[in-house]
Amino acid sequence: EPVILGGFTPGTELCLYSHIPFCEKRCYFCEYTVVGRDELTQTAEYMQALNHEVELYAEKLGHPALSGWDIGGGTPSFVSAELMADHIAAVRMMFSFAPGFAISIETTPRIASLEPDKIVAYREMGIERISMGVQVTEPDLLKALGRDTNGLEHNYRATENIRRAGFRKFNLDLMYGFAGQSDESWRTTLEHSIAMAPDYITLYRMRYKLTRISDQAGRVTMEQVLRQARMAKELLAAAGYVANPGKNTYSRLAGDTGTSAYLTRRVIKGTPYLGVGLGAQSFTSSTISYNSGSVGKNLAPYLKDVASNRLPLQDLYHLPRAHMMAKMIAVSFYFGEINLAAFYARFGITLEAAYPQATLFALQEGLMHYTDSVNGAELNDLDH
């Protein structure tokens, strides 16, 4: 405990991630989910443990300020609105909030379509951003991926419910690079999603490792992956959705990165983050750690640790400064850029001084260039 707690600098803002690992069904491409058995009992017990873990950290860290909070999974909207309200209340009681603090949550088309009262409740709880996992739209592919309960019939109704609830930050997640996913199928998914007029669209390339369909990886060529990525960029750009090279979230709102406050600050400013829940990852100024139960998605070790008033740590890595710099750069490339001011503030050295040969090469080869903004937003906007 002293190692990870010591990595969170007193008085420094941090981000929070709440991992809720439940789903109605585990899609074949997913490696993050626990499919509930006796769901009402299991989810209630888990959410109580999650709230207790929040209390343990907040008290040990002195109730620091949060600059962003993501509630992810799994499908966090799987749990009841009452349990979610209790969790949000627990966090609000235990932490303070920095300027620009905002909450983002994930849902599925089916839940957002069939449970509109839950979506309304989220907005009333103070959640500003919602992300819906459409992934693909072709019926045969949905069935092959074990996702046929989230078909087209739910998408438009879900979107109507989300907008009616008052959400003005609405993201769709889409996936490409599947075996058997034709270019025409991918184009149809993109066109369908654009027609739903979300504020943001986030693209994910299928990664087969540790999934139930990992044996299909050999059927996907890099040529297919690159072709489908180019197609998406062209169609999204034509519809007014833009992103830096290398960035996978496309925004149609000027000056808006499209990502949650949690992820934006993580990526651009290297803000430390606390992960609570089964197998969640935490990142401090000197450590990376993983919570209990990350291997096998087993709830028992996590629940046991929290019940014993222990921080549920399974793996902890104390990293030297050089590795922390490399980590920040790698994460920065999620947005296709490195914030030079944030890098200097974090490490007390300029990027050019830390990596003189690499930066010179990138500039000379035209691989990178200097800009005075971050994803179209002025640097100061991140603090307001």
Side-chain angles (χ1 to χ4, degrees):
E1 287 191 9
V3 175
I4 186 173
L5 295 176
F8 289 107
T9 305
T12 301
E13 296 173 10
L14 66 148
C15 295
L16 179 67
Y17 181 84
S18 295
H19 182 57
I20 300 176
F22 301 101
C23 275
E24 298 167 298
K25 184 177 181 181
R26 181 179 175 183
C27 300
Y28 298 156
F29 57 78
C30 181
E31 58 172 300
Y32 301 109
T33 296
V34 173
V35 178
R37 296 174 300 278
D38 301 322
E39 282 88 356
L40 292 178
T41 301
Q42 195 174 36
T43 55
E45 181 183 10
Y46 179 83
M47 294 301 290
Q48 289 170 4
L50 194 67
N51 295 341
H52 188 42
E53 185 187 359
V54 165
E55 294 170 4
L56 290 174
Y57 268 109
E59 291 170 357
K60 292 176 184 292
L61 293 174
H63 307 276
L66 300 180
S67 55
W69 178 15
D70 270 14
I71 306 173
T75 304
S77 55
F78 172 82
V79 306
S80 70
E82 292 76 16
L83 289 175
M84 186 61 66
D86 289 345
H87 183 52
I88 289 178
V91 171
R92 290 191 182 279
M93 184 180 299
M94 289 292 133
F95 292 92
S96 58
F97 304 101
F101 168 81
I103 311 171
S104 181
I105 196 169
E106 299 171 1
T107 190
T108 64
R110 187 175 189 277
I111 291 173
S113 170
L114 299 180
E115 301 183 62
D117 291 347
K118 184 179 283 186
I119 304 303
V120 170
Y122 291 159
R123 193 67 194 90
E124 292 175 346
M125 293 173 200
I127 299 175
E128 292 90 349
R129 181 181 183 276
I130 192 165
S131 183
M132 186 168 78
V134 170
Q135 318 307 5
V136 299
T137 59
E138 181 188 335
D140 288 347
L141 187 54
L142 283 167
K143 186 174 183 179
L145 297 174
R147 198 174 169 80
D148 46 316
T149 58
N150 279 282
L152 289 174
E153 69 275 15
H154 294 300
N155 289 346
Y156 284 111
R157 189 184 310 138
T159 298
E160 290 174 4
N161 290 340
I162 286 169
R163 292 304 196 188
R164 192 177 295 119
F167 281 97
R168 296 295 176 264
K169 292 181 177 290
F170 173 36
N171 173 73
L172 293 184
D173 286 343
L174 308 180
M175 295 184 71
Y176 65 100
F178 286 105
Q181 184 183 33
S182 68
D183 289 355
E184 188 56 38
S185 168
W186 177 228
R187 178 182 293 276
T188 299
T189 292
L190 289 163
E191 291 174 343
H192 169 81
S193 300
I194 290 169
M196 291 165 65
D199 304 296
Y200 327 111
I201 292 179
T202 301
L203 309 180
Y204 292 97
R205 173 189 167 187
M206 174 58 190
R207 306 285 185 176
Y208 280 94
K209 186 177 180 181
L210 301 179
T211 69
R212 296 167 66 183
I213 52 175
S214 58
D215 60 307
Q216 297 179 13
R219 294 167 48 196
V220 180
T221 66
M222 185 55 67
E223 180 184 6
Q224 173 192 335
V225 168
L226 295 176
R227 188 174 63 248
Q228 292 181 346
R230 284 194 299 269
M231 178 191 298
K233 188 175 184 68
E234 292 169 0
L235 288 176
L236 291 172
Y241 293 87
V242 297
N244 278 353
K247 187 169 183 279
N248 69 331
T249 293
Y250 292 71
S251 173
R252 66 174 180 143
L253 303 183
D256 190 330
T257 63
T259 50
S260 65
Y262 160 88
L263 188 59
T264 300
R265 285 163 173 76
R266 263 192 61 185
V267 174
I268 295 179
K269 302 184 75 173
T271 303
Y273 54 89
L274 171 64
V276 294
L278 178 74
Q281 182 191 87
S282 295
F283 175 76
T284 76
S285 62
S286 57
T287 66
I288 295 176
S289 61
Y290 297 86
N291 270 3
S292 303
S294 62
V295 177
K297 307 300 179 286
N298 184 358
L299 289 174
Y302 171 77
L303 296 175
K304 180 179 178 181
D305 284 345
V306 176
S308 300
N309 292 317
R310 293 193 301 266
L311 298 183
L313 297 171
Q314 175 179 297
D315 299 302
L316 175 65
Y317 303 93
H318 194 279
L319 300 180
R321 183 167 174 265
H323 290 126
M324 297 305 287
M325 287 194 293
K327 171 71 173 177
M328 181 172 178
I329 290 170
V331 173
S332 294
F333 283 142
Y334 289 172
F335 280 13
E337 61 189 24
I338 302 170
N339 184 330
L340 299 179
F343 187 90
Y344 183 82
R346 178 76 184 276
F347 301 109
I349 186 174
T350 65
L351 181 75
E352 294 87 348
Y355 300 94
Q357 293 181 327
T359 52
L360 181 61
F361 176 83
L363 290 167
Q364 288 180 339
E365 296 296 319
L367 300 173
M368 299 188 74
H369 63 273
Y370 289 104
T371 180
D372 60 358
S373 65
V374 177
N375 278 284
E378 293 302 315
L379 295 175
N380 291 335
D381 290 348
L382 294 174
D383 298 314
H384 299 286

